[in-house]
Amino acid sequence: MSITHERFSTIVEAYGTDASKWPASEREAAKAYMLANPQAMQLFEEYRALEQLLDEHTIPSLALIEKRVIAKLEASSQKSLTEAFIDWLLPHSERLFTSLWRPALVASLPLIFGVYLSNFYSFGIDSETYMSMEEELYMLSLYDYAEPSQ
């Protein structure tokens, strides 16, 4: 039986360079073709070098890969501090009261932030004419008594 170069390359690609794994009906013809043809011998040597490189390469165990994947999933599922605070402040619920409370609270957050910010900064107000917080509260408490009653 005669072997062509294409058939020899197909055998080497499919079955590798171990001749015992080649089809029994073509094994002797393929060996003879390889020994007689320098191109076939070069192809055989290239595939042998490739097989040696592949045999040297080790694959990490499945347990290590599984641990890495689980660790990455856990890291990606962890919430940021802001998300955890919002979930604590506004827990998810299907009740009607909660569904109405969340938008109201979210809408009032800029107002709360503005009040907080205004306590620490005087935006263009002179400190000479600006009263302290105690003085302002005192003046506000007297406001009801300053108006004449009708």
mmCIF file of all heavy atoms in Angstrom, residues 7-23 26-27 30-31 34 40-52 54-55:
data_model
loop_
_atom_site.group_PDB
_atom_site.id
_atom_site.type_symbol
_atom_site.label_atom_id
_atom_site.label_comp_id
_atom_site.label_asym_id
_atom_site.label_seq_id
_atom_site.Cartn_x
_atom_site.Cartn_y
_atom_site.Cartn_z
ATOM 1 N N ARG A 7 -1.720 12.043 3.075
ATOM 2 C CA ARG A 7 -2.196 11.010 3.991
ATOM 3 C C ARG A 7 -1.242 10.860 5.172
ATOM 4 O O ARG A 7 -1.673 10.702 6.304
ATOM 5 C CB ARG A 7 -2.354 9.665 3.250
ATOM 6 C CG ARG A 7 -2.830 8.544 4.119
ATOM 7 C CD ARG A 7 -4.220 8.804 4.672
ATOM 8 N NE ARG A 7 -4.573 7.783 5.655
ATOM 9 C CZ ARG A 7 -5.382 7.965 6.662
ATOM 10 N NH1 ARG A 7 -5.969 9.129 6.839
ATOM 11 N NH2 ARG A 7 -5.637 6.996 7.499
ATOM 12 N N PHE A 8 0.072 10.951 4.904
ATOM 13 C CA PHE A 8 1.040 10.851 5.996
ATOM 14 C C PHE A 8 0.861 12.010 6.979
ATOM 15 O O PHE A 8 0.858 11.807 8.196
ATOM 16 C CB PHE A 8 2.478 10.829 5.452
ATOM 17 C CG PHE A 8 3.508 10.752 6.526
ATOM 18 C CD1 PHE A 8 3.766 9.547 7.169
ATOM 19 C CD2 PHE A 8 4.211 11.880 6.937
ATOM 20 C CE1 PHE A 8 4.707 9.471 8.174
ATOM 21 C CE2 PHE A 8 5.149 11.806 7.938
ATOM 22 C CZ PHE A 8 5.406 10.605 8.563
ATOM 23 N N SER A 9 0.699 13.222 6.446
ATOM 24 C CA SER A 9 0.514 14.367 7.345
ATOM 25 C C SER A 9 -0.799 14.244 8.122
ATOM 26 O O SER A 9 -0.863 14.607 9.291
ATOM 27 C CB SER A 9 0.575 15.684 6.571
ATOM 28 O OG SER A 9 -0.498 15.774 5.668
ATOM 29 N N THR A 10 -1.837 13.691 7.496
ATOM 30 C CA THR A 10 -3.106 13.474 8.198
ATOM 31 C C THR A 10 -2.935 12.471 9.332
ATOM 32 O O THR A 10 -3.467 12.659 10.429
ATOM 33 C CB THR A 10 -4.187 12.974 7.216
ATOM 34 O OG1 THR A 10 -4.320 13.911 6.159
ATOM 35 C CG2 THR A 10 -5.513 12.785 7.899
ATOM 36 N N ILE A 11 -2.178 11.396 9.074
ATOM 37 C CA ILE A 11 -1.942 10.387 10.118
ATOM 38 C C ILE A 11 -1.180 10.991 11.288
ATOM 39 O O ILE A 11 -1.537 10.796 12.451
ATOM 40 C CB ILE A 11 -1.187 9.169 9.529
ATOM 41 C CG1 ILE A 11 -2.094 8.393 8.585
ATOM 42 C CG2 ILE A 11 -0.665 8.265 10.638
ATOM 43 C CD1 ILE A 11 -1.387 7.295 7.817
ATOM 44 N N VAL A 12 -0.134 11.757 10.990
ATOM 45 C CA VAL A 12 0.677 12.353 12.054
ATOM 46 C C VAL A 12 -0.132 13.401 12.825
ATOM 47 O O VAL A 12 -0.051 13.469 14.055
ATOM 48 C CB VAL A 12 1.981 12.957 11.483
ATOM 49 C CG1 VAL A 12 2.747 13.725 12.540
ATOM 50 C CG2 VAL A 12 2.855 11.866 10.897
ATOM 51 N N GLU A 13 -0.939 14.183 12.124
ATOM 52 C CA GLU A 13 -1.769 15.185 12.798
ATOM 53 C C GLU A 13 -2.834 14.531 13.678
ATOM 54 O O GLU A 13 -3.115 15.000 14.774
ATOM 55 C CB GLU A 13 -2.448 16.085 11.774
ATOM 56 C CG GLU A 13 -1.524 17.065 11.094
ATOM 57 C CD GLU A 13 -2.215 17.851 9.987
ATOM 58 O OE1 GLU A 13 -3.448 17.734 9.839
ATOM 59 O OE2 GLU A 13 -1.513 18.572 9.265
ATOM 60 N N ALA A 14 -3.437 13.471 13.189
ATOM 61 C CA ALA A 14 -4.541 12.844 13.917
ATOM 62 C C ALA A 14 -4.073 11.928 15.041
ATOM 63 O O ALA A 14 -4.665 11.914 16.122
ATOM 64 C CB ALA A 14 -5.414 12.059 12.946
ATOM 65 N N TYR A 15 -3.021 11.138 14.786
ATOM 66 C CA TYR A 15 -2.622 10.112 15.757
ATOM 67 C C TYR A 15 -1.347 10.444 16.513
ATOM 68 O O TYR A 15 -0.982 9.730 17.442
ATOM 69 C CB TYR A 15 -2.460 8.764 15.047
ATOM 70 C CG TYR A 15 -3.738 8.281 14.407
ATOM 71 C CD1 TYR A 15 -3.951 8.417 13.043
ATOM 72 C CD2 TYR A 15 -4.741 7.696 15.184
ATOM 73 C CE1 TYR A 15 -5.123 7.983 12.456
ATOM 74 C CE2 TYR A 15 -5.919 7.256 14.602
ATOM 75 C CZ TYR A 15 -6.102 7.412 13.235
ATOM 76 O OH TYR A 15 -7.263 6.981 12.660
ATOM 77 N N GLY A 16 -0.635 11.494 16.116
ATOM 78 C CA GLY A 16 0.589 11.869 16.800
ATOM 79 C C GLY A 16 1.799 11.162 16.238
ATOM 80 O O GLY A 16 1.746 10.499 15.207
ATOM 81 N N THR A 17 2.920 11.278 16.939
ATOM 82 C CA THR A 17 4.186 10.721 16.439
ATOM 83 C C THR A 17 4.490 9.333 16.982
ATOM 84 O O THR A 17 5.476 8.714 16.583
ATOM 85 C CB THR A 17 5.345 11.661 16.806
ATOM 86 O OG1 THR A 17 5.362 11.850 18.219
ATOM 87 C CG2 THR A 17 5.205 12.997 16.117
ATOM 88 N N ASP A 18 3.658 8.833 17.870
ATOM 89 C CA ASP A 18 3.831 7.469 18.375
ATOM 90 C C ASP A 18 3.273 6.507 17.328
ATOM 91 O O ASP A 18 2.065 6.432 17.107
ATOM 92 C CB ASP A 18 3.106 7.305 19.710
ATOM 93 C CG ASP A 18 3.359 5.954 20.340
ATOM 94 O OD1 ASP A 18 4.213 5.189 19.814
ATOM 95 O OD2 ASP A 18 2.715 5.663 21.357
ATOM 96 N N ALA A 19 4.156 5.768 16.665
ATOM 97 C CA ALA A 19 3.745 4.898 15.558
ATOM 98 C C ALA A 19 2.817 3.780 16.006
ATOM 99 O O ALA A 19 2.029 3.268 15.203
ATOM 100 C CB ALA A 19 4.981 4.305 14.877
ATOM 101 N N SER A 20 2.858 3.418 17.275
ATOM 102 C CA SER A 20 1.964 2.356 17.741
ATOM 103 C C SER A 20 0.500 2.799 17.756
ATOM 104 O O SER A 20 -0.397 1.959 17.792
ATOM 105 C CB SER A 20 2.391 1.894 19.139
ATOM 106 O OG SER A 20 2.228 2.950 20.066
ATOM 107 N N LYS A 21 0.261 4.080 17.703
ATOM 108 C CA LYS A 21 -1.115 4.595 17.688
ATOM 109 C C LYS A 21 -1.645 4.804 16.267
ATOM 110 O O LYS A 21 -2.816 5.140 16.097
ATOM 111 C CB LYS A 21 -1.183 5.921 18.463
ATOM 112 C CG LYS A 21 -0.876 5.746 19.940
ATOM 113 C CD LYS A 21 -0.956 7.056 20.661
ATOM 114 C CE LYS A 21 -0.609 6.872 22.139
ATOM 115 N NZ LYS A 21 -0.582 8.125 22.866
ATOM 116 N N TRP A 22 -0.796 4.663 15.280
ATOM 117 C CA TRP A 22 -1.233 4.824 13.897
ATOM 118 C C TRP A 22 -2.123 3.644 13.513
ATOM 119 O O TRP A 22 -2.016 2.559 14.099
ATOM 120 C CB TRP A 22 -0.029 4.895 12.958
ATOM 121 C CG TRP A 22 0.830 6.136 13.156
ATOM 122 C CD1 TRP A 22 0.574 7.192 13.950
ATOM 123 C CD2 TRP A 22 2.090 6.379 12.542
ATOM 124 N NE1 TRP A 22 1.581 8.104 13.880
ATOM 125 C CE2 TRP A 22 2.531 7.638 13.018
ATOM 126 C CE3 TRP A 22 2.891 5.688 11.653
ATOM 127 C CZ2 TRP A 22 3.733 8.205 12.619
ATOM 128 C CZ3 TRP A 22 4.090 6.250 11.256
ATOM 129 C CH2 TRP A 22 4.493 7.500 11.733
ATOM 130 N N PRO A 23 -2.970 3.810 12.493
ATOM 131 C CA PRO A 23 -3.810 2.678 12.045
ATOM 132 C C PRO A 23 -2.923 1.495 11.624
ATOM 133 O O PRO A 23 -1.928 1.660 10.910
ATOM 134 C CB PRO A 23 -4.571 3.234 10.852
ATOM 135 C CG PRO A 23 -4.512 4.720 11.001
ATOM 136 C CD PRO A 23 -3.257 5.027 11.750
ATOM 137 N N GLU A 26 -2.037 0.901 7.932
ATOM 138 C CA GLU A 26 -1.166 1.866 7.240
ATOM 139 C C GLU A 26 0.152 2.094 7.983
ATOM 140 O O GLU A 26 0.986 2.867 7.513
ATOM 141 C CB GLU A 26 -1.897 3.214 7.106
ATOM 142 C CG GLU A 26 -3.163 3.145 6.270
ATOM 143 C CD GLU A 26 -3.914 4.456 6.258
ATOM 144 O OE1 GLU A 26 -4.175 4.999 7.360
ATOM 145 O OE2 GLU A 26 -4.227 4.939 5.162
ATOM 146 N N ARG A 27 0.354 1.453 9.086
ATOM 147 C CA ARG A 27 1.505 1.719 9.937
ATOM 148 C C ARG A 27 2.832 1.445 9.227
ATOM 149 O O ARG A 27 3.719 2.314 9.188
ATOM 150 C CB ARG A 27 1.407 0.863 11.197
ATOM 151 C CG ARG A 27 2.482 1.166 12.206
ATOM 152 C CD ARG A 27 2.300 0.393 13.498
ATOM 153 N NE ARG A 27 0.981 0.671 14.060
ATOM 154 C CZ ARG A 27 0.253 -0.231 14.715
ATOM 155 N NH1 ARG A 27 0.706 -1.455 14.901
ATOM 156 N NH2 ARG A 27 -0.923 0.081 15.193
ATOM 157 N N ALA A 30 3.421 3.863 6.318
ATOM 158 C CA ALA A 30 3.730 5.223 6.785
ATOM 159 C C ALA A 30 5.169 5.293 7.295
ATOM 160 O O ALA A 30 5.875 6.276 7.040
ATOM 161 C CB ALA A 30 2.753 5.620 7.879
ATOM 162 N N LYS A 31 5.652 4.261 7.994
ATOM 163 C CA LYS A 31 7.034 4.245 8.462
ATOM 164 C C LYS A 31 8.001 4.223 7.290
ATOM 165 O O LYS A 31 9.007 4.947 7.281
ATOM 166 C CB LYS A 31 7.279 3.009 9.343
ATOM 167 C CG LYS A 31 6.700 3.101 10.716
ATOM 168 C CD LYS A 31 7.042 1.820 11.483
ATOM 169 C CE LYS A 31 6.415 1.776 12.842
ATOM 170 N NZ LYS A 31 6.708 0.528 13.547
ATOM 171 N N MET A 34 8.069 7.621 5.618
ATOM 172 C CA MET A 34 8.788 8.599 6.426
ATOM 173 C C MET A 34 10.306 8.412 6.280
ATOM 174 O O MET A 34 11.039 9.393 6.161
ATOM 175 C CB MET A 34 8.386 8.450 7.899
ATOM 176 C CG MET A 34 9.083 9.425 8.838
ATOM 177 S SD MET A 34 8.638 9.213 10.553
ATOM 178 C CE MET A 34 9.296 7.611 10.922
ATOM 179 N N ALA A 40 8.736 14.222 4.802
ATOM 180 C CA ALA A 40 7.945 13.499 5.793
ATOM 181 C C ALA A 40 8.705 13.401 7.114
ATOM 182 O O ALA A 40 8.121 13.539 8.194
ATOM 183 C CB ALA A 40 7.581 12.117 5.279
ATOM 184 N N MET A 41 10.012 13.186 7.033
ATOM 185 C CA MET A 41 10.824 13.110 8.246
ATOM 186 C C MET A 41 10.849 14.467 8.961
ATOM 187 O O MET A 41 10.742 14.535 10.182
ATOM 188 C CB MET A 41 12.244 12.671 7.896
ATOM 189 C CG MET A 41 13.123 12.480 9.108
ATOM 190 S SD MET A 41 12.507 11.235 10.233
ATOM 191 C CE MET A 41 13.399 9.826 9.688
ATOM 192 N N GLN A 42 10.949 15.551 8.192
ATOM 193 C CA GLN A 42 10.944 16.897 8.782
ATOM 194 C C GLN A 42 9.587 17.167 9.451
ATOM 195 O O GLN A 42 9.538 17.694 10.563
ATOM 196 C CB GLN A 42 11.233 17.946 7.706
ATOM 197 C CG GLN A 42 11.274 19.355 8.248
ATOM 198 C CD GLN A 42 11.515 20.388 7.155
ATOM 199 O OE1 GLN A 42 11.626 20.057 5.974
ATOM 200 N NE2 GLN A 42 11.599 21.641 7.564
ATOM 201 N N LEU A 43 8.495 16.808 8.780
ATOM 202 C CA LEU A 43 7.153 16.977 9.349
ATOM 203 C C LEU A 43 7.026 16.166 10.647
ATOM 204 O O LEU A 43 6.503 16.658 11.646
ATOM 205 C CB LEU A 43 6.096 16.540 8.335
ATOM 206 C CG LEU A 43 4.646 16.639 8.803
ATOM 207 C CD1 LEU A 43 4.213 18.094 8.864
ATOM 208 C CD2 LEU A 43 3.743 15.861 7.867
ATOM 209 N N PHE A 44 7.526 14.953 10.625
ATOM 210 C CA PHE A 44 7.479 14.084 11.798
ATOM 211 C C PHE A 44 8.248 14.707 12.965
ATOM 212 O O PHE A 44 7.780 14.704 14.103
ATOM 213 C CB PHE A 44 8.057 12.703 11.432
ATOM 214 C CG PHE A 44 8.030 11.729 12.553
ATOM 215 C CD1 PHE A 44 6.864 11.035 12.872
ATOM 216 C CD2 PHE A 44 9.182 11.470 13.306
ATOM 217 C CE1 PHE A 44 6.853 10.116 13.904
ATOM 218 C CE2 PHE A 44 9.165 10.560 14.333
ATOM 219 C CZ PHE A 44 7.995 9.883 14.642
ATOM 220 N N GLU A 45 9.436 15.244 12.703
ATOM 221 C CA GLU A 45 10.252 15.864 13.753
ATOM 222 C C GLU A 45 9.584 17.117 14.316
ATOM 223 O O GLU A 45 9.655 17.388 15.517
ATOM 224 C CB GLU A 45 11.658 16.191 13.221
ATOM 225 C CG GLU A 45 12.503 14.971 12.922
ATOM 226 C CD GLU A 45 12.728 14.102 14.147
ATOM 227 O OE1 GLU A 45 12.843 14.644 15.273
ATOM 228 O OE2 GLU A 45 12.784 12.869 13.993
ATOM 229 N N GLU A 46 8.930 17.901 13.460
ATOM 230 C CA GLU A 46 8.227 19.099 13.934
ATOM 231 C C GLU A 46 7.087 18.707 14.886
ATOM 232 O O GLU A 46 6.899 19.330 15.937
ATOM 233 C CB GLU A 46 7.672 19.901 12.759
ATOM 234 C CG GLU A 46 8.725 20.633 11.957
ATOM 235 C CD GLU A 46 8.153 21.299 10.710
ATOM 236 O OE1 GLU A 46 6.915 21.244 10.498
ATOM 237 O OE2 GLU A 46 8.945 21.876 9.955
ATOM 238 N N TYR A 47 6.339 17.673 14.518
ATOM 239 C CA TYR A 47 5.247 17.229 15.375
ATOM 240 C C TYR A 47 5.765 16.584 16.665
ATOM 241 O O TYR A 47 5.133 16.705 17.714
ATOM 242 C CB TYR A 47 4.314 16.272 14.622
ATOM 243 C CG TYR A 47 3.265 17.033 13.838
ATOM 244 C CD1 TYR A 47 3.430 17.299 12.492
ATOM 245 C CD2 TYR A 47 2.103 17.482 14.453
ATOM 246 C CE1 TYR A 47 2.483 18.000 11.777
ATOM 247 C CE2 TYR A 47 1.149 18.182 13.747
ATOM 248 C CZ TYR A 47 1.338 18.446 12.409
ATOM 249 O OH TYR A 47 0.402 19.151 11.710
ATOM 250 N N ARG A 48 6.921 15.935 16.601
ATOM 251 C CA ARG A 48 7.496 15.353 17.809
ATOM 252 C C ARG A 48 7.902 16.475 18.771
ATOM 253 O O ARG A 48 7.664 16.364 19.988
ATOM 254 C CB ARG A 48 8.708 14.492 17.483
ATOM 255 C CG ARG A 48 9.263 13.837 18.750
ATOM 256 C CD ARG A 48 10.504 13.059 18.520
ATOM 257 N NE ARG A 48 10.250 11.975 17.577
ATOM 258 C CZ ARG A 48 11.162 11.106 17.202
ATOM 259 N NH1 ARG A 48 12.395 11.190 17.664
ATOM 260 N NH2 ARG A 48 10.878 10.155 16.361
ATOM 261 N N ALA A 49 8.508 17.542 18.248
ATOM 262 C CA ALA A 49 8.883 18.679 19.100
ATOM 263 C C ALA A 49 7.639 19.330 19.714
ATOM 264 O O ALA A 49 7.624 19.701 20.896
ATOM 265 C CB ALA A 49 9.668 19.705 18.286
ATOM 266 N N LEU A 50 6.583 19.438 18.914
ATOM 267 C CA LEU A 50 5.330 20.001 19.428
ATOM 268 C C LEU A 50 4.744 19.126 20.531
ATOM 269 O O LEU A 50 4.296 19.622 21.566
ATOM 270 C CB LEU A 50 4.314 20.165 18.281
ATOM 271 C CG LEU A 50 2.927 20.665 18.685
ATOM 272 C CD1 LEU A 50 2.995 22.069 19.258
ATOM 273 C CD2 LEU A 50 1.991 20.609 17.500
ATOM 274 N N GLU A 51 4.763 17.815 20.331
ATOM 275 C CA GLU A 51 4.239 16.907 21.352
ATOM 276 C C GLU A 51 5.051 16.989 22.636
ATOM 277 O O GLU A 51 4.498 16.923 23.738
ATOM 278 C CB GLU A 51 4.223 15.470 20.829
ATOM 279 C CG GLU A 51 3.066 15.190 19.923
ATOM 280 C CD GLU A 51 3.024 13.731 19.488
ATOM 281 O OE1 GLU A 51 3.907 12.939 19.885
ATOM 282 O OE2 GLU A 51 2.098 13.385 18.739
ATOM 283 N N GLN A 52 6.370 17.146 22.512
ATOM 284 C CA GLN A 52 7.197 17.273 23.705
ATOM 285 C C GLN A 52 6.856 18.549 24.474
ATOM 286 O O GLN A 52 6.782 18.541 25.707
ATOM 287 C CB GLN A 52 8.678 17.248 23.340
ATOM 288 C CG GLN A 52 9.177 15.886 22.936
ATOM 289 C CD GLN A 52 10.614 15.914 22.447
ATOM 290 O OE1 GLN A 52 11.195 16.982 22.260
ATOM 291 N NE2 GLN A 52 11.177 14.729 22.243
ATOM 292 N N LEU A 54 3.974 20.096 24.424
ATOM 293 C CA LEU A 54 2.650 19.894 25.019
ATOM 294 C C LEU A 54 2.708 18.978 26.228
ATOM 295 O O LEU A 54 1.967 19.168 27.201
ATOM 296 C CB LEU A 54 1.678 19.338 23.980
ATOM 297 C CG LEU A 54 1.271 20.311 22.867
ATOM 298 C CD1 LEU A 54 0.429 19.593 21.828
ATOM 299 C CD2 LEU A 54 0.520 21.501 23.433
ATOM 300 N N ASP A 55 3.590 17.971 26.192
ATOM 301 C CA ASP A 55 3.726 17.065 27.335
ATOM 302 C C ASP A 55 4.350 17.766 28.537
ATOM 303 O O ASP A 55 4.040 17.426 29.686
ATOM 304 C CB ASP A 55 4.572 15.848 26.959
ATOM 305 C CG ASP A 55 3.831 14.904 26.020
ATOM 306 O OD1 ASP A 55 2.588 14.991 25.960
ATOM 307 O OD2 ASP A 55 4.497 14.098 25.341
#
